[in-house]
Amino acid sequence: MLLREILEANREFVQRWEQEREARQAGKLPAKKLAIFSCMDTRLVEMLEPALGLKRGEAKVIKNAGTILTEDVVRSLAVAIYLLGVEEVVVIAHLDCGMAKPDADRMRQAMLARGVKPEDLEGVDLAAWLQGFGEDYHGHVREVVAGLRNHPLLPKDIPYHGLLFCPDTGHLELVVDGYKE
Ligand SMILES: [Zn+2]
């Protein structure tokens, strides 16, 4: 049913968009030469970009569960930097993140109940795989920023900043100022 709802909403959206299309034109290259790396949290939808004063066409946005630094995040940032002109990277973790302490045991039970074969989970350290970062949000932000700065495939000549976002108030706390540190 949800898919029907989405397709119906899209029909209306396309009609509205047609009227604004000219005014809201944007290019593929990020106009502010900025990339943001953040979390997939639902509360950030329609909130994070306006909270940063960003509009369509101005930044590349990469998200995953928990703002966890993975090789695919590096891949996306490398494309953004080397091919799409990004000159500044902002890591934005957020308070009350579900990935602070993901429940690996619950996940294992759910996976088994949904048909994942026990043998495919053998030897898999789910807690490590989920990469929960605990309650130290500031430490988490610092660690991700350091991981980007020290990554051999990413350049050292651009600033990597680290911030912490509050999904209730919209406030951004500066944790790592990439211009200074
Ligand atoms: Zn989160």
Side-chain angles (χ1 to χ4, degrees), residues 39 41 94 97:
C39 180
D41 192 289
H94 69 95
C97 184

Side-chain angles (χ1 to χ4, degrees), residues 32-39 48 52 54 59-62 67 73 77 81 86-93 141 144-145 148 158-164 172-176 178-179:
K32 291 205 169 166
K33 300 183 189 296
L34 174 70
I36 291 162
F37 170 41
S38 191
C39 180
L48 186 65
L52 303 176
L54 290 173
K60 295 291 168 193
V61 180
I62 300 149
T67 320
V73 172
L77 284 173
I81 293 166
V86 160
E87 294 177 356
E88 198 146 351
V89 175
V90 182
V91 173
I92 307 177
V141 171
V144 174
V145 170
L148 294 175
I158 64 168
Y160 298 91
H161 310 290
L163 297 110
L164 201 45
L172 265 179
E173 180 191 346
L174 182 60
V175 179
V176 181
Y179 299 132

Side-chain angles (χ1 to χ4, degrees), residues 150-161:
N150 297 325
H151 198 284
L153 300 183
L154 294 177
K156 313 278 182 232
D157 59 358
I158 64 168
Y160 298 91
H161 310 290

Side-chain angles (χ1 to χ4, degrees), residues 40-57:
M40 70 181 191
D41 192 289
T42 49
R43 292 167 295 179
L44 305 194
V45 174
E46 277 198 334
M47 187 182 188
L48 186 65
E49 290 90 350
L52 303 176
L54 290 173
K55 296 204 166 56
R56 182 170 193 258

